[in-house]
Amino acid sequence: MKITFERRAALSRPVLLAAPLIALGLAMLTSLILFAALGKPAGQALYSLLLEPFVGWYNISEVLLKMGPLMLIAQGLAIGFRANVFNIGAEGQLIIGALCASALPVYFPEGDSPLMLPAMIALGAVGGAAWAAIAAGLRVRFNANEILVTLMLTLIATQVLNYLLLGPWKDPHGFNFPQSVTFPDAALLPILLAGTRVNISLLGAFFVSALAYVMMRHRFSGYQLLVGGLAPRAARYAGFTEARAVWVSLLLGGLMAGLAGACEVAGPLGQLQRSVSTGYGYSAIIVAYLGGLNPLGIVVSAFLMAALFIGGDNAMVSADLPVAAVFVFQGLLLVFYLGSLTFIRHRVILNWAGRA
Amino acid sequence: MAPLLQLSGVSKRYGGVQANAGIDLSVDAGSIHAILGENGAGKSTLMKLIYGVERPDEGQVLWQGQAVTLSSPSDARRLGIGMVFQHFSLFETLSVVQNMALIVPGSKGELATRIRDLGAAFGLSVDPQAMVHALSVGERQRVEIIRCLLLNPALLILDEPTSVLPPQSVALLFDTLRALRAKGMAILFISHKLEEIRELCDTATILRQGRVTARLDPRQGTAHDLATLMIGRPMPPPVHPTPHGLGEERLALSNLSFANDDPFGVSLTDVSLSVRGGEILGIAGISGNGQQELAALISGEIAMKSGAGAVQVMGQPVGDLGAAARRLRGLAFVPEDRLGRGAVPDMSLADNALLTAHGRGLVQNGFINRKAERAFTADCIARFDVRTSGPQAEAGSLSGGNLQKFIMGREMMLDPNVLLVAQPTWGVDIGAAADIRQRLVAMRNAGAAIVVISEEIDELFEICDRLQVLHKGHLSPSVDVAATSVEQIGTYMIGAAA
């Protein structure tokens, strides 16, 4: 038998829509086998992972809570990815954003100014963007690979966080736990859905998604980034500079990650902790790709990924899965999705006779 | 006696395209057989079938009367078929003899001797110890031919061998091929250059749209007859520009030098030119002598950090400006590579119009005006006869010729003060090429300053007012087309002029 791949004349719409579902199916199947091989109750694990997040208002609200930062960060990253600027360090930018936002309540723990919260949000956004700007500057000036730089900056950001929480910013009444003081009410985001932890930052994330859609679909600046990603030589030919694409991509990515960080400390956490991010910055990369780097697709994929997070937590408790199993599932999902993307551009021809 | 190679009813499809349909071909030993056809007529596919790169869907291949299946180039080489591709496959960082040793058995000492012997016998002189990157294009071609000859082929296939050669080297190559024919070798000579085929070949098979349309002796009949058979209708008449008054100087390079960082690129030395409104300046020369660098330096894709005055557009220094800023001064540019540079393959034609025409009301307050974008694109498609399904068609789905018409149309519709065109008719069929040349002359007559970089000498002689020749990064003085000859330009092309 001979298998050949033939390029399609145009993108296949049905495959484009089916690809995430196929990836989900294959990832489920593989994990079933994997869980069974581990001797865990595979059916129970999948139920916890995939269905339980949608059972009951509390679970759904927790999914929405996780969805906000994932969506926000992924929208920023996707803009860069489409311009071939690969910001892998949203995790670090989120941490720095959270740090900067926390500075106000840490130094003014009794503050009650109505300006406190907006200032925190702004500081978070600026901090995240500034952290990403380091990578942009190094890339433009010295052609340093932004993948490596953003990744390594994440490690540095983690150490900065550790230093502050173990030293100067440690809550003096916190029984020596590495966390800051709990924030005053003026530093907390208003709750959106009464009785849950979902705050108004979710609306902000939707608003940012709409902005991202307008930018990539209708703005000339978004078009320039797309050209730079699809055909760098055409961008040079047209005079769209690469340096500008690098700056715009990394600053937007950092800004949104920083925003997400600020919204975490001013939202569900209410203080700065070492576990300020549970891997949002990395998971958002998967969210961006699963959403086809499309602002609308990302809204959907952020919801699914958030559900997976909640499901993963459930599965750890109910099916006794190790925490790594959840990451493995996420990884499988991305690998299968990227694999199925091949079929959007190509059709497979099976030739049973074995002759071309 | 059976012919050396015989094809009967050979067909090959790629997806929806019938590249070859029922081709019959018979090649005798001791003859030079031309395969003539426009771009896209199926010449390359046919050669791939003969050389074992692809396998035919239908039909039979006979070698010395025996049916054979060629499933790889090494099968073909074992039978005695050698091929020299249009784009060479040599390792630039190795010497000539090292390149040979990669596929020819024998010690390097023996090979070096055989290379010298073959060189002496067939006029293919080349130093076996020379590094390939230091060789001229003509010498590299000789290396490719010698590499084939070392395997003692009975059939040698040459794909567009003259497209990379200056006129003097073409004459040398033809002498070599005649000597090989006298030794009894069969040669398949692929070309779309009619005069060459009439001069060299014994037989010609003409392809059109994947089918054989004629088999004839090219020495009978005129180039015009051959062209009519090749394109299926009479040749369009050439359009020579008539002299007229010139406008002000619009593009000037003065003593422009550029040191290339790329070890395999070309540095430019002391390049000067001046173009006024209402004239076409041709830059002749073999590709790889600095054409790409020159085009990028004029377009602004390479901007200089100092010495802005070395490039002037409309009397203003622009050497330090990027491509976008130079476009604002009325410079338009059609690059030689269309996919990925002149156009984004994965984007629609409408979005590709936006690439350089965004200043024509297609963007308002930073928002893309889709209606204006579509109107501009539809206008370009209609005026420049681009064959496509419409503005939403992906640029990558167009044939090379149609995409070239689209890009040419887009740049012309910008109504530029200065138009720079690199290789305007590469890969474009004869009809479309004639159309493009006519439009360039019409723009000149309307007062634009035009620079055409091309390696087709005939084309340059047809449309240009003046010519300059680029050789190893040096630009020759300007000569009037009316006062020069192909021979003189050829001399400049190999750097032989004082």
Side-chain angles (χ1 to χ4, degrees):
Chain A
M1 188 182 75
K2 193 177 165 182
I3 304 172
T4 44
F5 285 80
E6 187 179 274
R7 196 177 154 90
R8 293 178 197 266
L11 294 175
S12 166
R13 286 253 156 228
V15 180
L16 192 66
L17 296 175
L21 299 176
I22 294 169
L24 189 66
L26 286 173
M28 277 168 59
L29 192 69
T30 316
S31 349
L32 261 178
I33 297 168
L34 217 61
F35 296 161
L38 282 172
K40 306 289 180 193
Q44 172 67 37
L46 276 191
Y47 169 79
S48 306
L49 206 55
L50 298 171
L51 290 178
E52 211 178 331
F54 306 106
V55 175
W57 179 232
Y58 173 77
N59 277 334
I60 294 175
S61 77
E62 286 296 295
V63 170
L64 291 176
L65 183 70
K66 297 256 177 197
M67 176 187 179
L70 284 174
M71 180 161 66
L72 193 59
I73 301 170
Q75 295 291 9
L77 293 182
I79 290 171
F81 292 163
R82 295 195 74 169
N84 273 0
V85 179
F86 295 100
N87 176 0
I88 304 299
E91 184 81 359
Q93 293 141 24
L94 181 150
I95 290 172
I96 296 298
L99 273 179
C100 293
S102 301
L104 284 179
V106 164
Y107 288 111
F108 305 99
E110 309 297 326
D112 58 358
S113 162
L115 290 177
M116 168 99 92
L117 188 64
M120 284 170 65
I121 303 287
L123 274 176
V126 170
W131 203 244
I134 300 173
L138 291 173
R139 160 81 191 265
V140 168
R141 180 71 185 79
F142 300 108
N143 205 21
N145 185 307
E146 78 279 6
I147 299 175
L148 296 177
V149 176
T150 52
L151 195 61
M152 292 191 290
L153 280 172
T154 298
L155 303 179
I156 297 175
T158 311
Q159 295 309 320
V160 173
L161 177 72
N162 285 340
Y163 164 74
L164 289 175
L165 288 183
L166 294 168
W169 285 14
K170 188 162 64 179
D171 180 1
H173 310 294
F175 307 104
N176 225 15
F177 278 108
Q179 56 195 30
S180 75
V181 293
T182 46
F183 293 174
D185 283 350
L188 295 179
L189 286 160
I191 294 295
L192 182 66
L193 303 170
T196 71
R197 301 200 289 161
V198 181
N199 61 55
I200 59 163
S201 69
L202 183 64
L203 292 183
F206 275 107
F207 179 67
V208 165
S209 298
L211 287 184
Y213 177 81
V214 170
M215 171 169 172
M216 296 317 277
R217 202 56 187 269
H218 296 293
R219 297 285 296 177
F220 188 53
S221 51
Y223 167 83
Q224 289 179 315
L225 292 175
L226 289 183
V227 172
L230 287 171
R233 290 185 315 129
R236 218 166 301 141
Y237 161 75
F240 308 156
T241 65
E242 195 189 2
R244 190 173 165 279
V246 170
W247 278 108
V248 170
S249 300
L250 279 166
L251 287 180
L252 282 180
L255 186 116
M256 294 194 197
L259 265 179
C263 292
E264 281 302 290
V265 290
L269 300 180
Q271 63 179 171
L272 188 62
Q273 304 176 345
R274 276 169 91 172
S275 59
V276 58
S277 169
T278 42
Y280 286 133
Y282 296 119
S283 302
I285 298 169
I286 305 177
V287 170
Y289 275 104
L290 280 181
L293 302 184
N294 175 316
L296 300 180
I298 286 170
V299 173
V300 178
S301 62
F303 183 71
L304 288 177
M305 185 59 75
L308 264 182
F309 262 107
I310 301 300
D313 288 346
N314 293 341
M316 275 192 278
V317 178
S318 61
D320 189 28
L321 283 183
V323 64
V326 181
F327 294 127
V328 168
F329 188 86
Q330 287 184 8
L332 286 170
L333 198 56
L334 182 65
V335 169
F336 283 124
Y337 177 70
L338 294 178
S340 60
L341 281 183
T342 311
F343 303 101
I344 293 175
R345 260 280 164 217
H346 298 85
R347 76 175 89 242
V348 185
I349 297 168
L350 297 179
N351 192 333
W352 295 97
R355 269 193 58 115
Chain B
M1 192 182 114
L4 182 66
L5 173 75
Q6 193 166 15
L7 271 58
S8 52
V10 167
S11 298
K12 178 76 187 173
R13 287 183 77 85
Y14 293 107
V17 184
Q18 186 80 46
N20 283 166
I23 296 215
D24 297 326
L25 178 73
S26 159
V27 184
D28 293 318
S31 74
I32 303 183
H33 190 126
I35 304 289
L36 181 62
E38 291 191 88
N39 285 291
K43 290 173 298 184
S44 303
T45 304
L46 186 60
M47 293 312 117
K48 283 182 188 164
L49 297 179
I50 296 175
Y51 195 52
V53 179
E54 300 269 4
R55 282 199 265 174
D57 300 332
E58 287 165 33
Q60 211 178 16
V61 180
L62 298 176
W63 178 256
Q64 293 170 334
Q66 306 283 317
V68 287
T69 309
L70 299 165
S71 47
S72 75
S74 59
D75 281 1
R77 281 198 293 267
R78 253 194 308 278
L79 286 178
I81 301 174
M83 179 154 180
V84 176
F85 288 91
Q86 191 176 358
H87 302 286
F88 303 147
S89 48
L90 296 170
F91 291 95
E92 301 212 329
T93 49
L94 299 181
S95 72
V96 171
V97 68
Q98 283 169 332
N99 264 288
M100 305 282 179
L102 289 174
I103 60 160
V104 184
S107 77
K108 293 209 177 75
E110 275 167 38
L111 283 177
T113 318
R114 289 180 66 197
I115 291 169
R116 282 201 197 84
D117 291 349
L118 278 172
F122 297 109
L124 292 162
S125 65
V126 60
D127 174 8
Q129 305 305 335
M131 300 300 283
V132 167
H133 67 80
L135 299 180
S136 73
V137 181
E139 287 170 318
R140 287 180 203 202
Q141 189 177 55
R142 278 179 232 155
V143 174
E144 288 264 0
I145 295 175
I146 292 172
R147 188 165 64 173
C148 286
L149 294 183
L150 285 171
L151 296 167
N152 296 314
L155 171 67
L156 183 63
I157 305 172
L158 298 161
D159 187 7
E160 302 270 359
T162 60
S163 64
V164 292
L165 297 181
Q168 284 83 347
S169 307
V170 169
L172 285 177
L173 173 70
F174 284 7
D175 289 342
T176 301
L177 298 182
R178 290 193 187 98
L180 290 170
R181 171 174 62 185
K183 290 270 179 193
M185 193 179 290
I187 294 169
L188 265 178
F189 185 89
I190 305 163
S191 181
H192 64 272
K193 293 186 181 171
L194 308 168
E195 289 299 342
E196 288 176 356
I197 284 172
R198 294 186 58 235
E199 186 187 332
L200 181 72
C201 301
D202 310 303
T203 334
T205 296
I206 300 181
L207 296 184
R208 188 165 77 231
Q209 290 168 358
R211 292 170 193 282
V212 175
T213 53
R215 275 179 210 87
L216 46 83
D217 180 344
R219 290 160 298 192
Q220 318 287 324
T222 63
H224 191 268
D225 298 337
L226 288 178
T228 310
L229 286 168
M230 188 163 92
I231 65 174
R233 59 196 141 83
M235 269 280 272
V239 280
H240 290 287
T242 47
H244 67 157
L246 294 182
E248 74 291 1
E249 182 179 77
R250 292 190 167 186
L251 172 71
L253 303 187
S254 40
N255 307 110
L256 171 71
S257 291
F258 167 68
N260 202 330
D261 292 336
D262 178 357
F264 297 115
V266 180
S267 295
L268 299 185
T269 317
D270 223 9
V271 167
S272 296
L273 61 80
S274 160
V275 196
R276 297 165 65 180
E279 66 172 347
I280 301 183
L281 171 69
I283 306 290
I286 316 290
S287 283
N289 273 289
Q291 279 85 350
Q292 293 192 16
E293 290 80 0
L294 179 65
L297 281 161
I298 296 177
S299 74
E301 286 159 281
I302 301 177
M304 287 177 304
K305 293 195 175 64
S306 61
V311 185
Q312 295 197 346
V313 171
M314 305 305 284
Q316 301 289 318
V318 298
D320 56 342
L321 300 181
R326 294 192 201 186
R327 285 180 178 281
L328 289 178
R329 314 236 168 171
L331 179 82
F333 172 40
V334 180
E336 76 265 24
D337 29 8
R338 290 143 209 166
L339 281 177
R341 185 161 168 211
V344 184
D346 297 331
M347 281 188 169
S348 69
L349 289 180
D351 279 349
N352 270 295
L354 200 57
L355 197 60
T356 60
H358 50 82
R360 312 290 285 189
L362 272 51
V363 174
Q364 278 151 359
N365 303 323
F367 283 90
I368 300 166
N369 182 338
R370 296 288 174 193
K371 221 172 125 189
E373 186 194 62
R374 238 182 346 263
F376 181 95
T377 313
D379 193 20
C380 179
I381 289 172
R383 277 169 60 185
F384 290 85
D385 188 28
V386 182
R387 310 276 165 80
T388 170
S389 54
Q392 293 312 317
E394 275 184 23
S397 72
L398 268 65
S399 73
N402 271 314
L403 188 58
Q404 177 71 347
K405 283 197 273 186
F406 174 77
I407 295 172
M408 188 72 86
R410 178 186 70 196
E411 299 300 302
M412 283 185 169
M413 279 170 66
L414 300 178
D415 208 7
N417 298 321
V418 181
L419 177 63
L420 170 65
V421 188
Q423 314 296 356
T425 58
W426 254 1
V428 178
D429 65 54
I430 291 189
D435 183 62
I436 286 173
R437 289 195 279 266
Q438 274 172 7
R439 288 177 191 276
L440 285 171
V441 170
M443 265 195 92
R444 158 201 181 268
N445 293 342
I450 301 177
V451 180
V452 177
I453 300 175
S454 174
E455 43 176 35
E456 302 269 349
I457 295 197
D458 299 339
E459 172 170 278
L460 291 173
F461 269 82
E462 185 182 320
I463 60 171
C464 295
D465 296 284
R466 291 184 294 116
L467 287 178
Q468 285 179 267
V469 183
L470 196 55
H471 175 70
K472 291 192 175 166
H474 293 267
L475 194 63
S476 78
S478 159
V479 288
D480 279 338
V481 166
T484 186
S485 63
V486 173
E487 286 69 32
Q488 190 193 353
I489 296 301
T491 314
Y492 281 130
M493 280 167 78
I494 54 174

